[in-house]
């Protein structure tokens, strides 16, 4: 288990630095070079010195949508660290506290309260991280038969489809923390999806 200092060092190297590299390269340097050579640049409002710190607080549009989750994931790791510490590694409490954090993030989005550096998005996404953590731990410890694993995969896949159909009533903007779906249905989809993927990987590995 990592100390908080070790966690900071590891996640800075593995998550924050890659985010900064791709952001500065793809959202600052390359667009400016293309613009100087007369090429059309999408979102020209981001051009200028302010593009260096635009990611700190982006209220509507993020210039490099595919990488915003790097920054959100960076905060999720710290949030989940404190969730585990507070819960003293009790899995039920970890699950409960993660959902409380997720509801807090969802509430911020519902009332259009924006936090810098995608922190609100990180709060809302904490249950996803919790799902992967708990389900991976559970499945790797399973000693049941392969046929039972297949049935569990089938059940989780069905639940995934049912949750999706019941919640399909609007778009989702993860990058802006806006959800027109029922957030609990989204989390159910997350748990079922994560369970199916991890369980399928275990079955294949056998």
């Amino acid at each position: 288990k990592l100390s908080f200092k070790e966690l900071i060092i590891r996640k800075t190297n593995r998550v924050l630095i890659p985010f900064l590299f791709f952001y500065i390269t793809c959202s600052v340097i390359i667009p400016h070079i293309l613009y100087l050579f007369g090429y059309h640049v999408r979102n020209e409002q981001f051009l200028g010195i302010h593009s260096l710190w635009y990611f700190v607080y982006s209220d509507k549009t993020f210039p490099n949508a595919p990488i915003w989750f790097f920054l959100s994931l960076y905060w999720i790791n710290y949030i989940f660290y404190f969730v585990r510490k507070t819960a003293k590694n009790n899995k039920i409490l970890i699950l409960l506290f993660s959902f409380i954090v997720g509801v807090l993030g969802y509430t911020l989005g519902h009332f259009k309260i924006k936090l810098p550096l995608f922190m609100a998005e990180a709060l809302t996404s904490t249950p996803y991280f919790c799902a992967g953590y708990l389900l991976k731990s559970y499945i790797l410890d399973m000693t049941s038969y392969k046929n039972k694993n297949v049935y569990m995969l089938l059940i989780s896949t069905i639940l995934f489809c049912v949750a999706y159909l019941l919640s399909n009533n609007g778009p989702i903007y993860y990058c802006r923390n806006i959800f027109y779906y029922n957030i609990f249905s989204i989390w159910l989809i997350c748990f079922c999806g994560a369970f199916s993927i991890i369980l399928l990987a275990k079955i294949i590995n056998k």
Side-chain angles (χ1 to χ4, degrees), residues 14-28:
R14 295 185 178 183
V15 182
L16 184 60
I17 290 178
F19 167 81
L20 292 173
F21 171 79
F22 286 110
Y23 179 83
I24 293 174
T25 302
C26 301
S27 303
V28 180

Side-chain angles (χ1 to χ4, degrees), residues 156-172 174 180-182 184-190 192-193:
S156 62
T157 302
I158 292 173
L159 288 175
F160 177 93
C161 295
V162 170
Y164 177 79
L165 292 173
L166 290 176
S167 63
N168 189 14
N169 57 2
I172 299 175
Y174 287 104
Y180 293 99
Y181 281 61
N182 182 306
F184 292 99
S185 295
I186 296 175
W187 287 334
L188 177 59
I189 292 172
C190 161
C192 294

Side-chain angles (χ1 to χ4, degrees), residues 50-86:
H50 66 279
S51 63
L52 286 171
W53 58 79
Y54 186 82
F55 69 89
V56 174
Y57 188 88
S58 54
D59 55 349
K60 291 184 179 181
T61 306
F62 187 63
N64 194 345
I67 68 168
W68 73 270
F69 189 70
F70 273 97
L71 194 52
S72 182
L73 181 62
Y74 184 69
W75 301 120
I76 290 173
N77 278 277
Y78 299 137
I79 293 169
F80 193 69
Y81 175 87
F82 287 111
V83 165
R84 288 179 54 200
K85 292 284 286 187
T86 304

Side-chain angles (χ1 to χ4, degrees), residues 128-189:
Y128 304 153
F129 196 90
C130 175
Y133 173 81
L134 294 180
L135 291 174
K136 179 181 178 181
S137 175
Y138 169 73
I139 293 173
L140 291 180
D141 291 339
M142 287 176 57
T143 57
S144 54
Y145 296 103
K146 183 175 180 180
N147 287 340
K148 186 176 180 180
N149 289 345
V150 173
Y151 290 137
M152 294 178 71
L153 174 62
L154 177 61
I155 292 172
S156 62
T157 302
I158 292 173
L159 288 175
F160 177 93
C161 295
V162 170
Y164 177 79
L165 292 173
L166 290 176
S167 63
N168 189 14
N169 57 2
I172 299 175
Y173 302 101
Y174 287 104
C175 186
R176 294 162 57 189
N177 200 29
I178 298 176
F179 302 89
Y180 293 99
Y181 281 61
N182 182 306
I183 190 62
F184 292 99
S185 295
I186 296 175
W187 287 334
L188 177 59
I189 292 172

